[in-house]
Amino acid sequence: MKPEPSRPEAGGWLGPVLAIVAAVTVARVLALVFDRTDLFVDEAQYWLWGQRFDFGYYSKPPLIGWLIRAVTDLAGSSAPFWVRLPAPVLHGLTGMILAALAARIAGRGAAIWTAALYVTLPFTAVGSAMISTDTVMAPFFAAGLLFFWRLGESGRAGDALALGLCVGFAFLAKYVALFLPAGIVLAVLVAPARRIGWGNALLATLAFALVIAPNVAWNVTHQFATLEHTMDNVGWVRGGAGLNWASMGGWLAAQIAVFGPVTMVALLLGVIGARSADRRALAVLALPPLVVVTVQALLDKAYANWAVSAYLAGVILAVLVLPRWGRWLALLTNLVAVTAVAALTVLAPWPAPGGKPLLNRYLGRTELSRRILALATAEGVPVYSDDRDILADLFYTGRDAGVTIYAPRPTGRPMNYYEQNFPLPADFAGRILVIRRSPIDCGAGPVPPAGMLNGSGTWEGKGVTPYIVPGECLNAAP
């Protein structure tokens, strides 16, 4: 066992941190009660995953589906509030774990500021208003950081086992959790105090492998569906690489909005000027997602949230760099984003500059689904659509409607979860309600619409139209 290194007094942080985290989390839960937005396409899909317990799903590992199913079953309701409820709680828990790590590194003050800044970061504000795989991954990723740090100090097998389990469950939430072992490898290279020993590394690896084994087996038996989807997202792997400087610049600019301008400057200064072993370790733990996703943005495209795992270690490094006045400035800047997110979700569809709500993409989904389901019920027919966004909300909103919903039959590899699990049967006969954004022709000219849906919110002006056709029309052209 390694001797405990000297470090700042780490006690006395739990009470203040718990008070800060509890206050922010309760406020976010209350905001969810009054949230007027619809579930986004991904949220609705995650809910649907949970209705079929499995060790993997089309585009992501299974943990988010399991979690939503557990919460909604316990609540006896699948209302948006219950689907989203884990989000603010998980971010609060992540803040507590990061505070514990900050306390080990730099004492009580660092712990309190780490928790305060983390739970008010822009990406945690957004991630607390809607459920995502990043949010589910965050506490396990943070716990992995904590146990890695403890392992470097203690050398205990128990910490190694906990490290492997945490990385494994983070992986079951989102595959980018692999950035953590990549960062650990770099950390043990630049900071000798963080070395964990070959035996503990093997034990952690075995624990990790044990946790992820069912998901790996699922992928093997499902044509590596999630790997194929990841390759689709990477883009340049299949389509060839080119240098997209505008994409990279836009992605880098988005990171300022994701992490906050003050904390981002502090993080960059911390990475550039990391001299102590602790700061070097935190810097390289944050670097893998930032470097990899920046390259991805340059070669093709990247979404703003793809590197948020960098900011778990990054927020602690930012706290260590910032002077007291800088910490207050960062907190006040973050609170603007926190207040804005809560206000927008509660006041939606206001504000609507130019007549278009700022949260337009989160509105109108339930309304459109209800109109489609009402038409299908009145006509006594199932529903078919080739639009993933429409299918996602139809399955969620129509969960108790008694209407059968179909996706296209895949012509090769399924292109989404709905094609994979709910394709139109090859022998389907009878009438069916088709929802499209373009006309349909069954061989005798364009089919007249079966009514008007008059979409609002995200569907306003998109031309979503219902058609009732015989099954043979779709069977001829899947």
Side-chain angles (χ1 to χ4, degrees):
M1 182 182 299
K2 295 182 181 180
E4 287 286 335
S6 62
R7 59 175 181 261
E9 176 57 46
W13 61 270
L14 182 58
V17 165
L18 186 59
I20 292 168
V21 170
V24 174
T25 303
V26 168
R28 284 175 169 159
V29 171
L30 288 175
L32 284 182
V33 173
F34 298 100
D35 193 319
R36 299 174 66 182
T37 62
D38 296 333
L39 290 187
F40 190 55
V41 54
D42 294 328
E43 295 179 288
Q45 178 177 254
Y46 300 148
W47 171 86
L48 183 60
W49 288 354
Q51 306 312 298
R52 290 186 171 190
F53 180 83
D54 212 336
F55 288 109
Y57 299 100
Y58 178 80
S59 58
K60 298 287 192 304
L63 195 55
I64 190 169
W66 298 351
L67 175 64
I68 292 174
R69 177 63 181 272
V71 173
T72 54
D73 277 3
L74 286 171
S77 170
S78 289
F81 171 82
W82 295 109
V83 173
R84 290 168 166 167
L85 179 62
V89 176
L90 290 175
H91 275 305
L93 177 60
T94 303
M96 296 287 297
I97 296 169
L98 292 176
L101 175 54
R104 299 185 75 87
I105 297 171
R108 178 178 182 272
I112 294 171
W113 276 106
T114 293
L117 290 186
Y118 177 81
V119 295
T120 59
L121 287 171
F123 85 81
T124 64
V126 175
S128 295
M130 55 191 64
I131 191 75
S132 73
T133 50
D134 291 306
T135 296
V136 178
M137 176 189 69
F140 296 105
F141 199 105
L145 291 170
L146 175 60
F147 283 112
F148 164 62
W149 214 273
R150 284 178 43 157
L151 184 57
E153 297 172 349
S154 71
R156 295 189 183 99
D159 287 332
L161 180 63
L163 169 60
L165 294 175
C166 288
V167 179
F169 282 106
F171 179 92
L172 290 184
K174 193 168 185 176
Y175 294 138
V176 297
L178 291 176
F179 285 133
L180 179 52
I184 287 174
V185 170
L186 295 175
V188 299
L189 292 175
V190 303
R194 301 276 64 80
R195 292 174 184 170
I196 60 178
W198 289 108
N200 282 328
L202 177 61
L203 180 59
T205 302
L206 291 174
F208 168 75
L210 179 66
V211 173
I212 72 168
N215 180 249
V216 173
W218 181 91
N219 270 282
V220 171
T221 58
H222 287 76
Q223 302 175 308
F224 293 96
T226 48
L227 178 62
E228 293 284 351
H229 174 76
T230 300
M231 294 302 100
D232 290 340
N233 279 344
V234 171
W236 58 267
V237 172
R238 290 191 168 122
L243 299 183
N244 190 340
W245 296 101
S247 170
M248 187 183 75
W251 184 82
L252 290 173
Q255 297 315 290
I256 298 174
V258 167
F259 193 49
V262 179
T263 37
M264 180 57 77
V265 170
L267 174 58
L268 294 176
L269 292 175
V271 170
I272 295 169
R275 292 184 176 85
S276 71
D278 286 346
R279 294 193 185 191
R280 287 198 303 271
L282 289 171
V284 297
L285 285 165
L287 278 178
L290 290 174
V291 172
V292 171
V293 182
T294 299
V295 172
Q296 164 63 24
L298 175 62
L299 296 179
D300 185 40
K301 65 178 181 179
Y303 292 102
N305 67 309
W306 281 7
V308 295
S309 59
Y311 304 129
L312 301 180
V315 70
I316 301 176
L317 182 57
V319 166
L320 299 183
V321 169
L322 287 168
R324 178 173 291 275
W325 65 264
R327 295 174 181 178
W328 278 108
L329 180 60
L331 180 61
L332 292 175
T333 304
N334 288 352
L335 288 174
V336 172
V338 170
T339 304
V341 169
L344 288 173
T345 59
V346 170
L347 298 175
W350 184 91
K356 184 177 181 180
L358 287 179
L359 296 186
N360 203 50
R361 68 192 307 220
Y362 306 104
L363 303 172
R365 296 176 182 273
T366 299
E367 181 183 4
L368 178 70
S369 293
R370 286 174 177 165
R371 290 176 179 175
I372 293 170
L373 294 164
L375 180 56
T377 301
E379 295 289 341
V381 294
V383 179
Y384 171 97
S385 180
D386 59 5
D387 190 300
R388 175 176 170 266
D389 280 45
I390 292 175
L391 286 168
D393 201 86
L394 275 175
F395 275 101
Y396 172 73
T397 301
R399 58 193 179 274
D400 299 319
V403 175
T404 302
I405 302 165
Y406 293 120
R409 289 192 299 275
T411 56
R413 179 170 63 89
M415 298 309 295
N416 56 54
Y417 180 75
Y418 310 99
E419 288 188 12
Q420 184 185 54
N421 292 279
F422 306 99
L424 182 73
D427 59 351
F428 179 84
R431 299 160 66 240
I432 189 166
L433 175 61
V434 178
I435 308 299
R436 292 169 61 103
R437 288 193 267 174
S438 59
I440 185 170
D441 188 336
C442 294
V447 176
M452 299 296 293
L453 293 174
N454 296 322
S456 63
T458 192
W459 297 117
E460 185 175 1
K462 299 291 181 61
V464 179
T465 306
Y467 303 92
I468 294 180
V469 303
E472 293 79 5
C473 177
L474 297 176
N475 289 335

